[in-house]
Amino acid sequence: METANYKKYLAQAKNVHYNNSASELIQRASELNEGILTVDGSFSVNTGKHTGRSPKDKHIIADKDTENNVWWGNNARIERNNFDRLENDMLAHMQGKELFVQDLHAGTDPNEKIKVRVITEFAWQALFIQHLLILPKNIEQQDFKEDLLIIDLPSFKTDPSKYDVRTDTTIACDFTNNKILIAGTYYAGEIKKSVFTYFNYILPPKGIFPMHCSANSDIKGKNTAIFFGLSGTGKTTLSADPDRLLVGDDEHGWSSKGIFNFEDGSYAKAINLSKEAEPQIYNAVRRSTTVLENVVVDEDSGELDFNDGSLTENTRAAFPMSFVGENVSKDGMAGIPENIIMLTCDAFGVIPPISKLDSNQAVYHFLSGYTAKVAGTERGVIDPSATFSTCFAAPFLPRHPIVYGRLLKEYMERYNVRTWLINTGWSGGPAGVGQRMPIQLTRNLLKAALNNDLNNTDMREDKYFKLMVPLLVNGDSSYLNPIDTWSNKDDFDRQARKLVEMFVENFKRFQSEVDADIIRAGPSI
């Protein structure tokens, strides 16, 4: 089955808006009652039942180009005839509708930049992706020939029996013809992550390492640091340092020239956002034309309530990097990283607040992608739940994790990059018993690592995780040995063993793919 030319169907739409400015889009979104205009001029929308991504509904065409290159254990298949049927039906669905087209760039490195055309049903979604990707000059949008086409029609529901998909929500990827279809979800984060998924497929064969990380550098674009971490580990907070340049807060590529941002915007979590804890993000969120997803707004006053999670805990804000402030990289690029920071929020309370990893340990922890969540409370005691998201990016990985792990090790060893594991979680006991690591302690440890203050310090090997832990940082030993912070040492040992067993069990899925040195680099009892 062949698909029709999508431009023919655009011509049959009720109205098509091409490359509107941010002010035009927010005005149209207001006129169409797509959301609520706040007192600050930002725009808040309710995305309905989908307040986050639907990773299990992502499907990739299995063909001769992808069959042996896609990690099918993580991605569902869709046959080409079903994809083509879905595309034809979605194109037909566009007839008579008001549509918004944005022609944008992704990738700040001029040699790796791609042209992305996004077609949406809603003005606010067009504004959302305009904020996050890179806005070309007007002349660059003339005679635009996209490298990647994304069609997002939230009002189109997919019939599983007709297209052989899982639910009425589908994200379908054709990496051979560079198309992605999004149907049945109003959550705009699917558009952003579709671009990231595409980069994760096309860059590794070029020897470029795509990363789900934030990054910053010194004011000269040197002494670059990249930050890996799952939600809630402090990735955005720690990388948005007023004394350093923010290169980007979410997605980057690492080539032999250095790192480059995939985007020119930020998609920040807004739940419990405060001016005291995150002043740069707080101010950016309240700027005119910022797009808010599921942030509760008082309909009378237009005031935002960042503490209200009644719609979802995953409240989000999309805005251009320029909204963050002056200490933002102008070109979204920086030099070869000198430090890699892997962040974990360990609710078991047993991982040191900072430790140094060799290249084998770095690959082990990168493939593990560990953090912990607080599961439930009983009489003040909270039972932590371990979460492992390989490469800190499992939902967005079309290729097998070992592909990205090998790139990490290659670059670490080629450029002698230092890697640190920083625990922003608990100390003195598990969540509900111990205390959360003081944010100032974490900032001081991070600063010491980035300033090379730990290069020659004495270290010990952690008993369980085999990582090298400083004995002193700036003359202070507090918190550095987790067992010392626990009143009951036997309880600490039990918790540590429990977490080690979880690591070992999780890593069994990679044992046939990695070198023995990497397996030995992991924790053990």
Side-chain angles (χ1 to χ4, degrees):
M1 179 186 295
E2 293 186 1
T3 55
N5 186 333
Y6 76 88
K7 294 180 181 178
K8 182 185 77 172
Y9 286 88
L10 281 179
Q12 298 173 3
K14 175 184 177 182
N15 198 1
V16 182
H17 304 268
Y18 286 91
N19 298 318
N20 297 98
S21 67
S23 58
E24 289 171 336
L25 288 170
I26 200 166
Q27 179 179 346
R28 191 64 186 133
S30 298
E31 292 170 351
L32 294 171
N33 295 316
E34 293 178 359
I36 299 174
L37 192 63
T38 76
V39 70
D40 304 302
S42 57
F43 196 74
S44 184
V45 299
N46 185 331
T47 63
K49 72 173 184 177
H50 291 287
T51 58
R53 291 174 290 97
S54 302
K56 293 182 179 179
D57 292 314
K58 183 179 69 180
H59 300 257
I60 298 174
I61 288 181
D63 58 22
K64 62 182 179 63
D65 295 318
T66 61
E67 182 63 47
N68 297 321
N69 292 315
V70 168
W71 179 26
W72 295 114
N74 189 57
N75 298 279
R77 297 170 180 263
I78 185 170
E79 298 302 321
R80 179 161 295 283
N81 65 320
N82 288 322
F83 181 97
D84 290 346
R85 184 178 295 112
L86 172 60
E87 182 179 5
N88 281 328
D89 289 350
M90 288 181 67
L91 291 175
H93 187 73
M94 295 195 313
Q95 294 181 72
K97 292 190 175 298
E98 186 160 5
L99 300 173
F100 298 85
V101 177
Q102 286 288 305
D103 294 329
L104 304 163
H105 291 164
T108 56
D109 184 337
N111 295 320
E112 304 304 332
K113 175 179 67 181
I114 63 171
K115 296 178 179 179
V116 184
R117 168 164 281 190
V118 180
I119 302 173
T120 71
E121 288 184 87
F122 296 99
W124 77 264
Q125 289 191 332
L127 178 60
F128 169 94
I129 199 61
Q130 182 190 107
H131 280 340
L132 291 180
L133 295 187
I134 301 164
L135 188 62
K137 298 176 182 177
N138 289 339
I139 194 170
E140 294 175 311
Q141 292 177 322
Q142 297 175 12
D143 300 319
F144 193 86
K145 295 181 180 179
E146 70 273 3
D147 300 304
L148 174 65
L149 172 67
I150 299 176
I151 300 176
D152 184 355
L153 303 178
S155 66
F156 185 91
K157 306 297 183 183
T158 50
D159 181 349
S161 64
K162 184 174 184 180
Y163 309 111
D164 195 22
V165 293
R166 197 178 73 94
T167 68
D168 63 3
T169 296
T170 300
I171 300 92
C173 307
D174 180 355
F175 290 139
T176 302
N177 295 309
N178 308 315
K179 299 176 185 178
I180 297 178
L181 310 175
I182 304 172
T185 173
Y186 290 80
Y187 183 69
E190 296 287 9
I191 309 174
K192 164 191 163 65
K193 289 306 182 186
S194 290
V195 179
F196 184 47
T197 301
Y198 181 76
F199 268 130
N200 279 330
Y201 185 77
I202 67 169
L203 291 183
K206 300 180 181 182
I208 298 174
F209 179 23
M211 305 173 294
H212 188 210
C213 70
S214 58
N216 65 23
S217 69
D218 64 22
I219 59 173
K220 296 180 180 179
K222 306 294 184 183
N223 190 12
T224 306
I226 53 180
F227 299 75
F228 292 104
L230 300 176
S231 179
T233 57
K235 182 162 58 84
T236 301
T237 302
L238 293 172
S239 58
D241 185 332
D243 297 324
R244 291 170 63 83
L245 283 179
L246 180 63
V247 182
D249 79 339
D250 200 36
E251 302 167 4
H252 296 82
W254 183 354
S255 72
S256 58
K257 295 182 298 183
I259 67 166
F260 62 98
N261 196 351
F262 290 164
E263 304 177 313
D264 189 29
S266 177
Y267 190 38
K269 290 199 75 170
I271 193 70
N272 299 323
L273 186 64
S274 72
K275 190 170 186 178
E276 295 71 29
E278 297 180 81
Q280 292 173 298
I281 303 300
Y282 180 87
N283 291 331
V285 166
R286 300 180 71 93
R287 291 277 296 270
S288 176
T289 76
T290 287
V291 175
L292 308 171
E293 284 185 324
N294 304 306
V295 175
V296 174
V297 182
D298 186 287
E299 293 191 17
D300 294 325
S301 67
E303 289 287 350
L304 301 168
D305 186 352
F306 296 121
N307 298 316
D308 189 337
S310 58
L311 295 177
T312 176
E313 290 289 309
N314 188 40
T315 58
R316 293 276 181 172
F319 48 84
M321 289 291 289
S322 60
F323 282 15
V324 178
E326 291 298 318
N327 59 324
V328 173
S329 170
K330 302 303 180 187
D331 62 3
M333 301 176 69
I336 298 292
E338 294 186 18
N339 290 278
I340 296 171
I341 311 298
M342 294 185 183
L343 298 167
T344 185
C345 179
D346 175 33
F348 291 83
V350 297
I351 292 182
I354 189 169
S355 31
K356 191 174 184 180
L357 290 68
D358 64 26
S359 61
N360 289 315
Q361 291 170 329
V363 173
Y364 184 97
H365 284 271
F366 180 66
L367 292 177
S368 296
Y370 164 72
T371 194
K373 295 181 179 179
V374 172
T377 305
E378 182 179 352
R379 291 186 175 273
V381 178
I382 298 175
D383 183 22
S385 172
T387 298
F388 295 95
S389 181
T390 184
C391 305
F392 302 97
F396 324 118
L397 302 183
R399 296 181 182 271
H400 194 279
I402 197 62
V403 171
Y404 310 100
R406 286 172 180 152
L407 284 167
L408 171 64
K409 187 173 184 181
E410 176 188 342
Y411 275 120
M412 274 191 66
E413 293 180 346
R414 184 191 304 178
Y415 298 109
N416 194 28
V417 184
R418 295 177 293 275
T419 300
W420 309 89
L421 180 66
I422 290 183
N423 174 21
T424 60
W426 274 259
S427 180
V433 177
Q435 302 293 320
R436 190 78 186 261
M437 294 282 183
I439 183 63
Q440 194 55 50
L441 169 72
T442 301
R443 291 189 189 279
N444 290 341
L445 296 175
L446 175 60
K447 185 175 182 180
L450 298 186
N451 289 347
N452 300 324
D453 295 341
L454 304 183
N455 287 1
N456 299 312
T457 191
D458 292 332
M459 296 194 177
R460 67 172 180 86
E461 183 180 273
D462 185 82
K463 176 181 177 182
Y464 291 108
F465 292 90
K466 303 179 187 174
L467 308 175
M468 300 308 294
V469 183
L471 297 179
L472 291 171
V473 177
N474 298 325
D476 184 9
S477 63
S478 60
Y479 290 92
L480 292 175
N481 191 352
I483 194 170
D484 292 343
T485 66
W486 284 57
S487 58
N488 189 316
K489 312 306 181 189
D490 291 336
D491 284 349
F492 173 88
D493 282 328
R494 280 190 287 271
Q495 281 287 90
R497 288 172 179 269
K498 179 180 178 182
L499 183 56
V500 167
E501 288 170 357
M502 292 179 184
F503 265 92
V504 172
E505 182 63 29
N506 173 73
F507 206 78
K508 286 179 179 178
R509 57 190 171 139
F510 303 121
Q511 286 184 341
S512 63
E513 303 283 347
V514 301
D515 297 336
D517 289 343
I518 294 174
I519 298 172
R520 286 193 292 268
S524 63
I525 298 175

